[in-house]
Amino acid sequence: VDRIADILQNSLLDENEFDLVVSDLLMPVMDGYQLCYSIKTDSSLQRTPVVLYTATYVTRKDEQLAKSLGADDLVGKPIEPDEFLERINAVVARRAEGGEAGRIAPALDERQFLREYNGHLIQSLEDRLILLESNQSLKALNRELEKRVDQATREIQRSHDDLAEANRKLSAANKEWETFSYTVSHDLRAPARSIR
């Protein structure tokens, strides 16, 4: 936390006043939750609205943690640009109308923040691990399904080839039958003419 404070002290946040801070959750050095906590615990910055933005899935716990840290909104990607701008404009409008920016939950001290934050990180990592394992299982199932589809396609192709061969043989037999019928018919007419 001291390192985060040092970063904030030497940052643009300390040198400028902002109407809004939009931060991704996943960043190098500190994540969006840490940045939000640092902004909201700094007396000169705590009135600055903070919107957290993430491409990872957003759970109810993510939203609760963000709100407890004073975030004004937590936006999950993908989101349509118009909807994103509406949400940003709503946060800025609340602030412009004299509304309060998000505040840290009153009972949230640094120790509690770290406990909740670490618990959240562990849960997120477990969720991602489960997702990764599920993804690997899906890939294995997908490979098996592709093998079965290939095998079924080959069997259908063989059946189609067999059917085509049977059709060729039937066509040849029909031609032979027509030829034979014509010959027999012709041969039977000659004696009938003679008798007539």
Side-chain angles (χ1 to χ4, degrees):
V1 175
D2 290 335
R3 176 146 164 72
I4 295 168
D6 289 342
I7 291 168
L8 285 175
Q9 293 300 319
N10 299 317
S11 73
L12 291 172
L13 287 171
D14 224 22
E15 299 167 8
N16 301 286
E17 187 173 323
F18 291 92
D19 294 325
L20 172 74
V21 172
V22 177
S23 172
D24 197 338
L25 276 183
L26 301 176
M27 303 183 300
V29 183
M30 77 172 83
D31 66 14
Y33 291 125
Q34 292 170 312
L35 178 63
C36 183
Y37 180 78
S38 298
I39 289 170
K40 296 303 182 169
T41 55
D42 185 316
S43 59
S44 64
L45 300 172
Q46 64 189 188
R47 293 184 39 81
T48 306
V50 176
V51 174
L52 298 176
Y53 193 53
T54 182
T56 59
Y57 59 94
V58 177
T59 66
R60 193 84 172 120
K61 284 186 178 182
D62 294 322
E63 291 173 349
Q64 289 170 344
L65 180 60
K67 289 292 182 190
S68 74
L69 297 176
D72 293 87
D73 202 352
L74 175 62
V75 179
K77 299 178 201 175
I79 187 171
E80 292 296 321
D82 291 341
E83 183 183 347
F84 180 69
L85 288 175
E86 282 177 27
R87 289 174 71 170
I88 294 294
N89 286 334
V91 169
V92 172
R94 265 196 317 269
R95 179 72 169 92
E97 293 168 0
E100 295 268 334
R103 291 183 169 202
I104 290 182
L108 190 66
D109 63 7
E110 186 174 347
R111 183 177 285 162
Q112 188 177 2
F113 160 69
L114 290 173
R115 186 175 24 253
E116 283 186 30
Y117 176 71
N118 287 336
H120 181 74
L121 282 180
I122 290 169
Q123 183 64 48
S124 293
L125 288 172
E126 287 174 353
D127 291 347
R128 287 198 178 105
L129 182 60
I130 289 169
L131 245 154
L132 181 63
E133 289 171 353
S134 297
N135 195 16
Q136 289 171 344
S137 295
L138 279 173
K139 284 180 181 178
L141 288 172
N142 206 12
R143 284 190 298 271
E144 179 62 31
L145 183 60
E146 285 175 1
K147 286 179 188 175
R148 289 181 180 182
V149 167
D150 286 345
Q151 182 180 3
T153 302
R154 283 192 301 274
E155 287 174 12
I156 289 170
Q157 186 62 44
R158 270 187 249 126
S159 296
H160 179 34
D161 292 346
D162 292 347
L163 187 58
E165 181 61 27
N167 274 339
R168 279 192 293 278
K169 287 179 180 178
L170 186 58
S171 247
N174 277 339
K175 284 183 183 180
E176 285 178 32
W177 176 252
E178 285 175 13
T179 304
F180 175 74
S181 296
Y182 177 78
T183 303
V184 168
S185 169
H186 185 266
D187 288 350
L188 288 177
R189 280 190 207 146
R193 266 188 244 125
S194 298
I195 294 172
R196 214 188 284 165

